[in-house]
Amino acid sequence: MKNVVLIPLKYLLGLLGILLISCAPVLFSPGQLFDIRLFFQTCWQVLTDLLRPAEWQLNYRVPGTFDMVDVSFSHYLSGPYLYSMPILIAALLFALLLSYGLAMLVMLSKGRTKPIILQSTKVLESFPDFSYIFLIQIAVVQIYAVTGYLVLDFYSLGGDLVYLAPILCLSVLPTLLFFKLFVLLFEAEWKQPYVDLAKGKGLGNTEVLLKHCTSNVLKSLFYQSKSIVWLTISSLLIIEHLFGIEGILYYLRSDFTPKGITFILVTVFTPFFLFYAFVELMINKERIERNAVFGKFSLHFLDVTQLRSLISSIFRRERKETTKIFPKLRSVFLSRLKITIPSLIVLGLFFISLFYFLFFDDQVGQTQYLYADDGTMLSSAPHPPSAELPFGTDPYGYSIFQQLLVGIKYTIAITFIIATVRIAAGYIFGFIYVFYLNNRIRKAVTSIADGMHFLPLSLLVFILLVPVLINHGDWTTTLTERLAIQILIMSLIVLPITMSSIGNEMNETLKKEYVQSSVLMGGSLIWILVKHINPQLWPKLVLNWTQHVVQVLQMFVHLGILSIFVGGAASQDGAGRLIPEIYELSGMIAISREAFVTQQFWMILPPIFVFMLLIYCFNTIAEGLTQKKPVSVPVKKEKAVNAQKPVETGIARFTRLKERNDIG
């Protein structure tokens, strides 16, 4: 009964978070930067509109014109909302069924089939999600060229609704993620004793997987599916944009006001929140709470004697490890190639781009027209790849190869900074979450974190960055200020999730018996943190850091498609699109829709490949971090020497004993 009462409270907390995020863009309005008073006035106005059904309407921009008309909220729900949501739900269900079938196939396969499928999955997972649209389109075009039959329609024009192509494209990424999760859960269940018991009774592998393992796996799959749903909702927005679907994203960009943003986000949040809340209620999910030991004992923050011991141990460890640093690095390099090789690839790309800046000052050539030797014009921009232009040019004639050389360092550096700030802020606030917040506040934070899994992250960042990074006049902020604000927004938008996740990892360490013994013996808070929590938490923080790097790279792709570039972009007279302030990979993705329609794929394939290579490298690093290093058992020398002695036969031993008795 208590959990039933908590559901409305958690829902209200989720609505409060949506309200604050929807009104946050006014904090970055030109000339009114960080105006807290205006922010709360806007929140109050939106809240009063929510309580008046007469104000439930959106502004709709007629396609191809600048005309704006009012659309009732009921029309939005019955029209674009019921167009987008079935695509999302159908893609998730199709991904779930397909991934389950593939996981069963892998578990029942023998020989090299399993590793080949798993390796192929890791490669496919490295593709940015929207790139599957181009792969599927190329396949459809080839089928049409051979058979004359158009398998799929790829664009929504003149009110025609397309379903099959968006569902297939949207389902690729969740299929890969569900498949990976199914395999991990099945492998864990396959080691349980009941599996051996079932086999002993004569059940086959297929029957054990279907009747026993599947039912045990579904519960864990349900809890971990939130992150997959979270990523799929973000991908839906990109699918809508590339297919020309007038769905949720189109209406949000038409009515980019705090009230319109709030209404649309509430419609996305509500169905998923209710589904997960009531299913969790049915299966009685147990929350992770703080260890009871720390509720009874008040820990002092710092002890001088323990501080001296910590400092002296740090210096002793540094002196000891300094003499062994090079042998240790060599050992790590040789034994953990799965980590070192992709790390060297990423660092190599970064330094190549950095050297291009140092020696060529980030020059990007422009070629508007190509001429033959006799002076006749061969082609105008965009130019396809050729000997003079290895990767071709963009629509304005700028070399794609040189843009890559300039932009790689910015993408890698800013991605690293955002991922690092996320983990550092999550660690600091996770520490506060565990040791200084009471149960009610921690439950509120956990509820907000759970609610954020049902809001598209790319859309939230898009909402907050539009007033900061898009300019239609003179800039009121410097490039450094815009970069700082962008890093801050993209880092702190996931703070409730990272704080809750890292805090729960800390809490698991606090439940260890040796930690409780340290508390009873007078250990201070800093002593427990440094000596007990950090050694257990550090590998998981590094793993989380690599996962955040991949997430930020995917987010840059989404934002680039929506014309949100690193450092900002300005509109210029005569330019058909926004012009980025700096050359960066996400800015090269912005023309993906034009390339999608005109079949000029060379303009976006190079940046897609770089993104894919970076994502693949960090996925490989994360996989290497999760694999346990095999422990080698040393062989004692005595045993080795004894093994070399000749074995005394029974007859020889009997003769030797008889001779001894005769002498005696």
Side-chain angles (χ1 to χ4, degrees), residues 251-489:
Y251 272 69
L252 183 132
R253 298 182 76 177
S254 296
D255 188 358
F256 199 76
T257 61
K259 183 183 73 172
I261 295 171
T262 303
F263 285 157
I264 292 175
L265 289 183
V266 167
T267 60
V268 177
F269 169 77
T270 300
F272 289 100
F273 172 83
L274 294 177
F275 171 75
Y276 276 90
F278 284 107
V279 174
E280 287 176 0
L281 183 65
M282 292 172 58
I283 59 180
N284 291 324
K285 178 182 177 183
E286 296 180 358
R287 295 289 183 184
I288 299 176
E289 299 296 341
R290 186 169 55 173
N291 198 292
V293 171
F294 297 94
K296 298 177 181 179
F297 295 89
S298 58
L299 294 173
H300 48 286
F301 183 77
L302 184 64
D303 184 88
V304 177
T305 305
Q306 295 175 4
L307 179 61
R308 291 175 181 172
S309 176
L310 288 173
I311 294 174
S312 62
S313 65
I314 291 173
F315 281 109
R316 285 198 305 269
R317 191 187 312 131
E318 286 183 353
R319 285 198 302 268
K320 184 178 180 181
E321 292 181 354
T322 301
T323 58
K324 300 181 179 180
I325 185 169
F326 291 107
K328 190 174 181 180
L329 287 175
R330 182 176 178 273
S331 175
V332 171
F333 180 81
L334 294 176
S335 61
R336 305 297 292 272
L337 293 178
K338 213 165 204 177
I339 297 176
T340 53
I341 291 178
S343 300
L344 290 176
I345 293 175
V346 175
L347 291 176
L349 291 174
F350 177 79
F351 283 111
I352 289 173
S353 180
L354 185 62
F355 291 153
Y356 189 76
F357 166 72
L358 295 176
F359 293 103
F360 298 97
D361 196 25
D362 282 348
Q363 295 180 4
V364 177
Q366 185 179 20
T367 306
Q368 291 282 12
Y369 305 99
L370 286 178
Y371 297 93
D373 294 335
D374 58 359
T376 58
M377 188 178 69
L378 296 176
S379 64
S380 60
H383 305 289
S386 61
E388 296 82 7
L389 301 167
F391 293 160
T393 69
D394 65 5
Y396 297 93
Y398 290 102
S399 170
I400 292 176
F401 178 69
Q402 290 177 323
Q403 290 184 57
L404 288 176
L405 291 176
V406 174
I408 285 175
K409 60 178 174 292
Y410 294 114
T411 300
I412 295 177
I414 295 175
T415 300
F416 280 14
I417 292 173
I418 293 173
T420 304
V421 173
R422 284 183 175 187
I423 296 300
Y427 177 84
I428 294 171
F429 285 94
F431 174 78
I432 297 173
Y433 171 86
V434 172
F435 290 101
Y436 291 102
L437 299 184
N438 57 37
N439 288 336
R440 290 183 179 179
I441 298 178
R442 283 190 291 109
K443 286 181 179 179
V445 172
T446 304
S447 299
I448 294 174
D450 285 344
M452 287 194 66
H453 283 103
F454 313 127
L455 293 174
L457 182 60
S458 298
L459 180 58
L460 299 183
V461 176
F462 171 80
I463 291 168
L464 297 176
L465 288 180
V466 164
V468 180
L469 299 182
I470 293 182
N471 182 46
H472 298 283
D474 296 329
W475 286 108
T476 58
T477 56
T478 64
L479 177 61
T480 304
E481 291 173 343
R482 293 194 298 274
L483 288 175
I485 294 174
Q486 182 174 5
I487 291 172
L488 187 66
I489 289 175

Side-chain angles (χ1 to χ4, degrees), residues 173-221:
L173 180 61
T175 298
L176 297 174
L177 296 176
F178 274 128
F179 167 75
K180 189 175 179 180
L181 184 57
F182 265 124
V183 171
L184 291 175
L185 294 175
F186 274 135
E187 288 180 344
E189 286 295 318
W190 204 249
K191 299 176 183 178
Q192 298 299 322
Y194 73 85
V195 175
D196 295 330
L197 179 62
K199 289 181 179 179
K201 290 184 176 182
L203 297 180
N205 291 339
T206 304
E207 195 172 1
V208 173
L209 284 171
L210 288 174
K211 291 185 176 180
H212 301 285
C213 294
T214 299
S215 58
N216 295 331
V217 158
L218 289 179
K219 184 176 180 180
S220 298
L221 182 79

Side-chain angles (χ1 to χ4, degrees), residues 66-190:
F66 294 97
D67 298 335
M68 301 294 294
V69 297
D70 292 334
V71 174
S72 65
F73 197 59
S74 60
H75 175 77
Y76 162 77
L77 289 177
S78 60
Y81 183 75
L82 288 183
Y83 183 19
S84 297
M85 293 304 289
I87 292 176
L88 174 62
I89 295 173
L92 288 171
L93 292 176
F94 178 72
L96 186 64
L97 295 175
L98 181 60
S99 60
Y100 176 72
L102 291 174
M104 291 286 292
L105 178 64
V106 167
M107 293 300 297
L108 297 174
S109 62
K110 298 179 180 179
R112 300 187 59 185
T113 305
K114 182 176 179 179
I116 290 174
I117 294 177
L118 293 177
Q119 186 64 26
S120 302
T121 302
K122 190 174 74 171
V123 174
L124 292 174
E125 191 180 352
S126 303
F127 282 83
D129 49 5
F130 86 99
S131 61
Y132 295 110
I133 299 175
F134 300 101
L135 296 177
I136 295 176
Q137 185 191 31
I138 292 173
V140 171
V141 170
Q142 293 299 320
I143 294 174
Y144 179 76
V146 175
T147 64
Y149 179 69
L150 185 62
V151 179
L152 296 173
D153 289 328
F154 279 92
Y155 209 73
S156 177
L157 291 173
D160 295 333
L161 304 182
V162 292
Y163 283 98
L164 185 56
I167 290 173
L168 290 178
C169 295
L170 184 60
S171 64
V172 175
L173 180 61
T175 298
L176 297 174
L177 296 176
F178 274 128
F179 167 75
K180 189 175 179 180
L181 184 57
F182 265 124
V183 171
L184 291 175
L185 294 175
F186 274 135
E187 288 180 344
E189 286 295 318
W190 204 249

